[in-house]
Amino acid sequence: MNRIKYQLLILLILLIPSGMLKACSSTIDTLMDIELNGLKQKILIKSNDLNNPVLLWLHGGPGTSEMFITHHCMNSLVNYFTIVHWDQRGTALSYNDKIRSTDISFDKILDDAARLTEVLRKKYNQKKIFLIGHSFGSVLGIHLIEKYPDFFYAYVGIGQVINDSKSREITYRWLVNKLKADGDTIGLKRIIEKQSIPSDLINKYKGNFYRGKKLFDVIKESPYYYEGYLENYSESMNFVREAISRNPSTYEKDILNDILRLKIPVYFFEGRHDRVPACAPELVVEYVKKIEAPKKEIIWFEESAHHPNIDEPEKFQVMLIDKVLKNK
């Protein structure tokens, strides 16, 4: 009886088209450890065909992992890219009690990003890869493509940071006008006295998630989510931000004034309503006018704020495929 089953199994395998076997063997959806510059870190790789171009995603923050929020915008992209999400050193799944605050700095994270890029190019036998940088990751992204242009086909900045202090001035004025229009004297007094931009007021006026999403709710919807993750997420985020504030960078430049020539195509996916303090879209418009690049373009998401991949996931995927991939 076992021999008959075995023969039937062999026959079934022979009847499967070879292309289907190849597709099955080249799909991936897995978390794995990787050592970058002496520190073990975590990456997530998703693809329906490992022969596709690699797309490396640099998350925001610092310390704000996006590994568990991108399920909203992957269903089409996995057919065109091998997508790599990386929890930067000290962040979320790359956090543990052995990491010291001296292990965390902008410079070290940027070096890790360069090393990870080299590993991915070699592992998947690709001369170049695509790069996304979101929020804090967009600062890393611009520095990375300026320093290593030969590593990348193109760069996509989401919620692009251009100049932190100027952006905060713009965002502060926007919030003052919003509060005045609403007659919110308590809110006005609160921000004027402290000269602050409270995140709860940004959220109130849909400057983070335009369609009413909340970050932790999105994370809980992830197929990878597990109990205890949010506690680890919050603890690691606070750790990374504190460490970076203590360890000043020697690499970081003023993007608006010092990084004006880029050797690869650059695209900025901007939510029209983005009001995260460091990410004023007005400065992206100014920057695109100033820079030299083989191609430069802003793609606006009219129903999005800081997360167009979550507010408008279908358009986000279409733009990545049609605008960025097909024009490499």
Side-chain angles (χ1 to χ4, degrees):
M1 185 67 178
N2 289 337
R3 183 178 179 185
I4 294 173
K5 287 182 178 180
Y6 178 76
Q7 289 174 334
L8 287 172
L9 178 60
I10 295 297
L11 179 62
L12 178 62
I13 291 173
L14 291 173
L15 290 173
I16 297 174
S18 59
M20 185 178 295
L21 281 174
K22 181 181 179 182
C24 292
S25 66
S26 67
T27 62
I28 190 170
D29 184 350
T30 188
L31 287 160
M32 64 178 64
D33 291 321
I34 184 170
E35 186 173 299
L36 301 172
N37 297 313
L39 201 64
K40 188 170 76 172
Q41 300 171 51
K42 190 74 76 175
I43 59 174
L44 168 66
I45 305 179
K46 294 174 68 73
S47 180
N48 285 343
D49 186 346
L50 288 173
N51 294 309
N52 284 337
V54 171
L55 172 63
L56 174 59
W57 189 301
L58 306 177
H59 68 67
T64 308
S65 171
E66 296 178 30
M67 198 176 277
F68 286 14
I69 71 171
T70 54
H71 50 282
H72 284 263
C73 61
M74 291 289 117
N75 57 306
S76 295
L77 293 184
V78 291
N79 295 318
Y80 293 87
F81 294 98
T82 294
I83 303 160
V84 180
H85 287 281
W86 161 48
D87 276 359
Q88 297 157 19
R89 57 172 57 207
T91 295
L93 298 184
S94 295
Y95 175 69
N96 61 65
D97 294 337
K98 295 180 181 178
I99 296 177
R100 302 164 299 176
S101 62
T102 51
D103 290 326
I104 311 297
S105 69
F106 178 88
D107 295 358
K108 289 178 179 179
I109 296 172
L110 186 65
D111 285 344
D112 286 347
R115 177 61 185 146
L116 177 55
T117 300
E118 290 180 321
V119 170
L120 294 172
R121 291 167 64 215
K122 183 176 181 180
K123 179 178 178 63
Y124 295 108
N125 194 30
Q126 296 191 17
K127 183 179 179 182
K128 299 181 181 183
I129 70 171
F130 290 90
L131 184 68
I132 282 179
H134 180 220
S135 201
F136 170 74
S138 74
V139 183
L140 293 170
I142 289 289
H143 282 75
L144 203 59
I145 64 171
E146 186 207 27
K147 193 171 184 180
Y148 305 102
D150 293 340
F151 287 6
F152 304 100
Y153 286 118
Y155 167 72
V156 177
I158 309 170
Q160 179 70 48
V161 178
I162 299 296
N163 181 288
D164 186 84
S165 60
K166 288 188 175 183
S167 179
R168 290 178 185 277
E169 291 172 7
I170 292 169
T171 308
Y172 180 81
R173 290 196 300 269
W174 165 84
L175 186 54
V176 166
N177 291 334
K178 282 286 187 183
L179 292 168
K180 285 181 177 179
D182 277 0
D184 187 347
T185 55
I186 295 175
L188 271 172
K189 183 179 179 181
R190 178 183 169 196
I191 70 168
I192 290 172
E193 284 182 352
K194 295 186 177 181
Q195 289 292 296
S196 65
I197 308 172
S199 58
D200 62 305
L201 293 180
I202 296 294
N203 291 334
K204 176 183 176 180
Y205 293 108
K206 302 181 179 180
N208 196 354
F209 291 95
Y210 188 69
R211 292 188 171 179
K213 294 279 187 180
K214 293 182 180 178
L215 179 62
F216 280 10
D217 290 339
V218 174
I219 289 173
K220 287 179 181 179
E221 295 169 0
S222 170
Y224 309 103
Y225 176 74
Y226 58 88
E227 288 298 323
Y229 174 77
L230 291 179
E231 289 77 9
N232 180 69
Y233 179 100
S234 298
E235 183 180 349
S236 69
M237 179 175 64
N238 293 333
F239 169 76
V240 168
R241 292 183 179 184
E242 175 67 20
I244 283 190
S245 70
R246 291 182 178 183
N247 300 314
S249 168
T250 58
Y251 288 177
E252 191 172 355
K253 300 178 181 179
D254 175 4
I255 293 174
L256 183 62
N257 297 305
D258 296 334
I259 303 181
L260 299 177
R261 187 167 180 266
L262 299 170
K263 296 180 180 180
I264 67 170
V266 290
Y267 302 84
F268 299 99
F269 284 22
E270 289 294 311
R272 184 69 73 177
H273 307 279
D274 191 344
R275 286 304 166 193
V276 167
C279 305
E282 292 89 340
L283 290 180
V284 178
V285 175
E286 181 179 341
Y287 186 61
V288 167
K289 291 177 182 177
K290 292 179 70 171
I291 59 171
E292 295 179 25
K295 184 172 180 58
K296 53 184 182 178
E297 184 176 357
I298 302 175
I299 290 93
W300 290 103
F301 291 77
E302 301 296 340
E303 297 296 317
S304 296
H306 192 55
H307 299 269
N309 55 308
I310 293 174
D311 281 330
E312 297 180 74
E314 296 308 319
K315 178 178 178 179
F316 176 82
Q317 294 179 87
V318 168
M319 291 297 101
L320 266 179
I321 295 164
D322 290 348
K323 285 278 188 181
V324 182
L325 175 62
K326 293 182 179 179
N327 290 308
K328 74 174 183 178

